[in-house]
Structure formats: structure tokens, C-alpha cells
């Protein structure tokens, strides 16, 4: 591969963003709005790199009737700048559906519609992103013992490029989690690839699916497969007695408020752990009550009709998976009796969640300058900047992977709009070459009051 190396004349970006999912799309929008308000006098030079060929967010889970679990007002901008032209409402207006959406009287759009909104917003700032470009390494530029710039190596179909930046924003997202010892294959899937894989079954007659997991995605998979393949048996396997409803009540939802991030960050470690335990049922391994009711209605109706295709193997664990070319044998073990049930299935789907991508995985020797806490976790400041040794003066900002410091909202959409405003404000306060006191006051549409 060819490689384009920078020289001393190479422009240095104020900011390079790694990844271009919803969080960094929101970051690009915040930069665009800042530059517009600054009138070009304090523009921030930025570039984002995304390895996908185009914008995409959980495409494999865009089931036609699946809805968002957050209000449409928690879009990419509204909680930071309610008058933004990048809001979901402006998207609806541009599509001619604003009145229809209002008449729908629903806070929670279809997931496929919200994905279309993301694509619409990303297209409005596409001059800032290079798709099909994968960041493969980061190296420090050392001068007089200090690091004020970073070299970012990017791979595309045309070869390698090296760019320079004073700050990085890492938005590398999540990666699918599979149980230890289980590998994905032709008949063993993670739910993140459901829709892209299920089309290959068109024209066949699958007789049985096994879905592992007790969260929202697992329940959606069960409902979708049961509907899509009306002659197939769908077996749901989970360790609980039944699906647990998500707590989306008004008081519990305050855990996602911007002010809750301040309180969580300042809390002692013991209080942080308690808050996560108390409010895990707002997000983790829980299911919308409407979907729970729908699945229960289906299974009861089948019992009445004597055609039971929907089976729930509860208080059980999948303890074995053996894939062959024409089937996969799943071993399900009861946690109560230890009895094993063998299920010969066409497909086993693991709806077993995601784990954050290692935020330091791309940073090479720069990672050695990042500080860690007593438990070995990366230390993160309130402004989402990784704490580093004094010799590294560049900002390394995280969009995700900060649950241990900032709470549940780390990888969720709820606080995205506010978070990017805080990151931008931090960048400006720390002294970009183009920053000024006036520019800092317009870092977002609402200023510090938005926090």
C-alpha cells in the first residue's frame, strides 16, 4: 500500500473524530453550528473518519415495527439547541410528515424512521466525514518532550494517509458480545445481524429458531421471527422466570437527565455502584411492557388453539451449541433441576448485548500516557476527556465507554446532544488556535445552562 506522510507544512486539524455513528454525527453538527454562530472568525478545523462505506446504525435490527425507547426530543440536537435546523422535527418537516407525526400522538418513533433521521442529519454534514476510511493507528508528535499533536494513520481503498490533529474524539461504538466459547457462523448469529442474515432464509422452510437473551432485542427477535415464519417454532431461552418490564416512569427516567451526569460523576464509588444497581432496570435486560403483553397474548392464544409455536424455556441456560451444515444443536439446561433439553434448530440467535470497544485500542504508545484508576479503568474527566500525563497536551475525548465515571447514559442517545456541547466547550476553553472568549460563549445553542 502507498502511504502519504505529513510534513511540517501539513495542516493540523483542531479535531479528528474516529467513527461516525450518531454521537460523532452530533459532534459534527455542534461544530457546524458553532462555526455558523462564530461567523467564520473562530472556525474549528475538523475531520471524521468512518470505516463503513456509508452511515449505518444497527441496520441489522431495523425491524419494521420496532420503536425507539427514547423520546424523539432526545435527538442529536434538541436538548442542546432546541432551535436547531438538525432536529427530528425539522427532519419530519422536510419529509412532509410533521402534521402526521403530531396526529400520531406518540413520543417514540419507529426505529427505522429514526435511522432515516440520522442518515438525513449525517448527509447535511457529510463534507466533514470520509467514509470507507478506517483509522488504524495513532502516534504522538513529540517536540521538546511534550506532545501537542497526534499523527492519525487512516486506511482506505487508495492506501494509507497520515493526518495530524490537536484533539481526538473517539466514537468507535460497541461490538457484539457472544458467550465465551461461542463463535458466530452460518447458523449461529448475533442479533445485530438479524435482518441481513434472515433474508437468506427466504424460500426455505425453517422449522425452529432458538433465541437466547432476556432483553429488549431478544424479545423483539422472538416476536419478529414468530411473525415472519408462521410455520416455525420459536424457542426463547433465558435465565429469568419471565421478561422483566423496563422502568420508564418519570422519576426513574431522571437517571438519564444531564444533571444526573454531574451528580453521578461527583458521587463516591460506593454510591455509583448503588445507583447502577438501583436503576439497571431502566435499560439493561428489560423489555417494554407493551411487547411483553403482546408475546404473552400470542402464547396464550396458541394454547387455546392447540398450535403452540412460541415456547419459553425460562430459568434455563444455553450450555452447548454444535453447528453442522444443515442444523445447529442447542443444549438447554434447567437451572432448577439440571435437566438437559436438546433442540435441533435451523438458527440460534444470541441477543446477548454489546460491549464497548476498547477506547485505547487504537492509541498505540499514546495509550501509555493515559491514566487509570485503582481498578485499572481509564480515568475520565467530567468533560469526557481522558486524564493523561502532563506531557500529553492533546485532548482525547470519549463518546462511550464512560459508564464507570458518567453513568448509564454513556452509550445511549439520551444525553448525546448535551455531551457533544460539553466536549466542544472543553475544546474551546482549552485553547484551540481559533478559539476566542466570544467563541466560547457560542459553543452550543444554550450555553452552560444546557447542562
Amino acid at each position: 500500500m502507498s502511504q502519504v506522510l505529513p510534513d511540517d507544512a501539513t495542516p493540523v486539524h483542531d479535531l479528528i473524530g474516529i467513527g461516525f455513528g450518531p454521537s460523532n454525527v452530533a459532534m459534527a453538527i455542534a461544530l457546524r453550528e458553532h462555526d455558523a454562530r462564530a461567523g467564520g472568525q473562530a472556525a474549528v478545523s475538523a475531520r471524521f473518519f468512518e470505516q463503513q462505506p456509508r452511515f449505518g446504525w444497527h441496520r441489522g435490527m431495523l425491524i419494521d415495527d420496532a420503536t425507539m425507547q427514547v423520546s424523539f426530543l432526545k435527538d442529536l440536537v434538541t436538548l442542546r439547541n432546541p432551535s436547531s435546523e438538525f432536529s427530528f422535527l425539522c427532519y419530519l418537516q422536510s419529509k412532509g410528515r410533521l402534521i402526521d407525526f403530531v396526529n400520531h400522538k406518540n413520543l417514540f418513533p419507529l426505529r427505522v424512521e429514526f435511522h432515516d433521521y440520522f442518515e438525513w442529519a449525517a448527509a447535511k454534514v457529510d463534507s466533514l466525514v470520509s467514509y470507507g476510511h478506517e483509522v488504524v493507528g495513532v502516534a504522538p508528535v513529540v517536540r521538546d518532550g511534550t506532545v501537542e499533536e497526534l499523527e492519525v494513520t487512516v486506511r482506505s481503498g487508495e492506501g494509507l494517509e497520515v493526518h495530524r490533529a490537536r484533539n481526538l474524539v473517539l466514537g468507535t461504538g460497541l461490538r457484539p458480545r457472544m458467550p465465551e466459547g461461542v463463535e458466530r457462523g452460518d447458523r449461529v448469529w448475533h442479533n445485530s445481524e438479524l435482518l441481513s442474515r434472515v433474508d437468506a432464509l427466504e424460500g426455505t422452510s425453517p422449522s425452529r429458531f432458538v433465541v437466547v437473551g432476556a432483553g429488549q432485542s431478544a424479545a423483539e427477535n422472538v416476536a419478529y421471527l414468530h411473525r415472519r415464519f408462521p410455520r416455525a417454532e420459536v424457542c426463547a431461552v433465558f435465565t429469568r422466570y419471565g421478561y422483566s418490564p423496563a422502568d420508564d416512569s418519570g422519576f426513574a427516567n431522571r437517571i438519564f437527565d444531564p444533571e444526573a451526569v454531574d451528580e453521578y460523576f461527583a458521587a463516591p464509588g460506593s454510591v455509583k455502584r448503588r445507583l447502577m444497581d438501583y436503576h439497571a432496570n431502566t435499560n439493561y435486560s428489560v423489555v417494554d411492557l407493551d411487547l411483553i403483553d403482546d408475546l404473552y397474548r400470542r402464547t396464550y392464544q396458541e394454547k387455546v388453539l392447540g398450535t403452540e409455536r412460541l415456547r419459553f424455556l425460562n430459568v434455563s441456560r444455553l450450555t452447548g451449541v454444535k453447528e453442522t451444515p444443515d442444523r445447529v444443536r442447542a443444549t438447554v439446561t434447567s437451572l432448577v433441576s439440571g435437566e438437559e433439553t436438546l433442540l435441533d434448530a435451523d438458527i440460534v440467535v444470541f441477543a446477548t448485548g454489546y460491549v464497548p470497544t476498547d477506547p485505547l485500542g487504537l492509541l498505540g504508545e499514546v495509550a501509555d500516557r493515559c491514566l487509570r484508576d485503582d481498578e485499572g479503568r481509564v480515568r475520565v474527566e467530567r468533560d469526557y476527556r481522558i486524564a493523561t500525563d502532563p506531557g500529553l497536551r492533546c485532548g482525547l475525548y470519549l463518546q462511550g465507554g464512560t459508564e464507570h465515571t458518567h453513568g448509564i447514559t454513556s452509550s445511549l442517545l439520551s444525553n448525546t446532544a448535551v455531551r457533544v456541547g460539553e466536549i466542544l466547550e472543553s475544546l474551546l476553553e482549552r485553547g484551540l488556535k481559533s478559539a476566542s472568549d466570544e467563541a466560547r460563549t457560542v459553543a452550543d445553542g444554550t450555553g452552560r445552562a444546557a447542562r
Side-chain angles (χ1 to χ4, degrees):
M1 274 190 169
S2 61
Q3 182 171 5
V4 180
L5 295 173
D7 54 35
D8 290 339
T10 299
V12 181
H13 295 291
D14 294 321
L15 173 69
I16 282 180
I18 302 177
F20 205 61
S23 291
N24 268 349
V25 172
M27 189 77 239
I29 291 170
L31 292 168
R32 179 65 57 82
E33 292 184 334
H34 158 72
D35 289 353
R37 289 187 174 90
Q41 299 301 309
V44 178
S45 169
R47 194 74 198 164
F48 295 83
F49 297 103
E50 169 57 52
Q51 63 180 338
Q52 294 187 100
R54 61 192 176 105
F55 178 85
W57 177 71
H58 297 306
R59 285 185 178 275
M61 279 300 295
L62 297 180
I63 296 172
D64 53 8
D65 63 348
T67 59
M68 297 295 294
Q69 275 75 60
V70 296
S71 165
F72 71 89
L73 293 172
K74 293 184 176 182
D75 58 19
L76 299 174
V77 293
T78 297
L79 295 188
R80 175 180 58 82
N81 178 12
S83 63
S84 174
E85 65 180 273
F86 295 88
S87 71
F88 180 71
L89 292 180
C90 287
Y91 156 80
L92 289 173
Q93 179 71 11
S94 74
K95 298 293 184 179
R97 293 200 305 270
L98 180 57
I99 299 302
D100 293 333
F101 184 84
V102 172
N103 289 339
H104 192 37
K105 299 180 181 179
N106 195 331
L107 288 173
F108 308 103
L110 290 169
R111 194 178 300 157
V112 68
E113 182 178 34
F114 221 63
H115 187 277
D116 192 56
Y117 158 65
F118 287 152
E119 288 187 292
W120 171 86
K124 291 170 74 71
V125 291
D126 63 0
S127 62
L128 296 178
V129 60
S130 295
Y131 290 106
H133 284 65
E134 179 185 8
V135 174
V136 295
V138 176
V141 178
V142 183
R143 295 191 181 97
D144 299 324
T146 63
V147 179
E148 295 188 354
E149 298 173 9
L150 300 170
E151 286 189 352
V152 179
T153 303
V154 182
R155 179 170 56 213
S156 69
E158 299 178 359
L160 296 177
E161 308 167 359
V162 179
H163 299 260
R164 283 185 178 170
R166 296 179 179 85
N167 300 277
L168 299 182
V169 175
L170 306 173
T172 49
L174 305 170
R175 58 181 177 83
R177 174 172 54 198
M178 295 289 285
E180 186 175 354
V182 177
E183 298 291 335
R184 285 190 274 182
D186 291 340
R187 296 183 177 275
V188 178
W189 304 347
H190 186 270
N191 69 278
S192 60
E193 55 187 342
L194 177 71
L195 294 186
S196 60
R197 301 293 295 270
V198 80
D199 286 342
L201 300 178
E202 201 66 49
T204 67
S205 300
S207 60
R208 178 181 285 153
F209 294 90
V210 175
V211 179
V212 182
Q216 180 72 23
S217 294
E220 288 177 354
N221 278 228
V222 168
Y224 172 76
L225 293 170
H226 184 261
R227 182 180 77 245
R228 173 85 182 260
F229 299 96
R231 295 185 179 181
E233 181 181 271
V234 180
C235 302
V237 179
F238 44 79
T239 57
R240 300 185 178 198
Y241 206 83
Y243 293 119
S244 298
D247 185 355
D248 61 353
S249 60
F251 287 112
N253 268 346
R254 287 182 173 178
I255 195 68
F256 302 113
D257 290 355
E259 291 81 2
V261 178
D262 287 323
E263 294 168 349
Y264 189 93
F265 185 85
S270 59
V271 175
K272 283 185 169 73
R273 287 188 290 272
R274 221 172 293 151
L275 286 172
M276 291 295 285
D277 291 342
Y278 288 156
H279 296 289
N281 65 342
T282 59
N283 183 61
Y284 301 109
S285 295
V286 288
V287 182
D288 284 347
L289 186 56
D290 288 345
L291 181 53
I292 294 175
D293 290 342
D294 174 63
L295 288 172
Y296 193 87
R297 177 192 58 77
R298 294 193 202 189
T299 190
Y300 183 78
Q301 182 183 45
E302 289 183 349
K303 285 184 177 181
V304 171
L305 299 176
T307 56
E308 295 183 49
R309 292 192 301 114
L310 191 54
R311 294 177 58 191
F312 295 95
L313 288 79
N314 59 351
V315 200
S316 300
R317 187 185 303 278
L318 192 74
T319 54
V321 179
K322 185 177 181 180
E323 185 176 2
T324 64
D326 59 350
R327 68 177 184 179
V328 55
R329 171 160 287 188
T331 303
V332 179
T333 302
S334 167
L335 299 180
V336 176
S337 66
E339 180 183 356
E340 291 187 349
T341 300
L342 300 180
L343 298 173
D344 287 330
D346 296 271
I347 303 293
V348 175
V349 182
F350 285 89
T352 44
Y354 298 82
V355 293
T357 303
D358 179 7
L360 306 186
L362 291 172
L363 298 185
E365 61 183 279
V366 176
D368 297 334
R369 295 174 174 264
C370 298
L371 306 183
R372 296 183 178 269
D373 63 18
D374 293 339
E375 297 182 36
R377 302 170 300 189
V378 64
R379 281 177 48 189
V380 187
E381 306 293 350
R382 175 60 186 85
D383 58 1
Y384 300 94
R385 182 168 50 91
I386 296 175
T388 61
D389 68 45
L392 181 67
R393 298 180 182 177
C394 302
L396 305 173
Y397 293 87
L398 294 181
Q399 298 237 55
T402 58
E403 273 192 349
H404 61 293
T405 53
H406 291 69
I408 289 176
T409 63
S410 173
S411 61
L412 306 179
L413 294 174
S414 293
N415 205 39
T416 297
V418 174
R419 180 174 65 239
V420 298
E422 293 175 341
I423 291 174
L424 177 54
E425 185 175 23
S426 173
L427 288 166
L428 296 172
E429 286 181 345
R430 293 180 61 246
L432 296 181
K433 65 175 175 56
S434 56
S436 66
D437 291 339
E438 179 181 2
R440 282 191 283 270
T441 66
V442 293
D444 59 27
T446 56
R448 295 295 287 186
R451 291 184 57 185

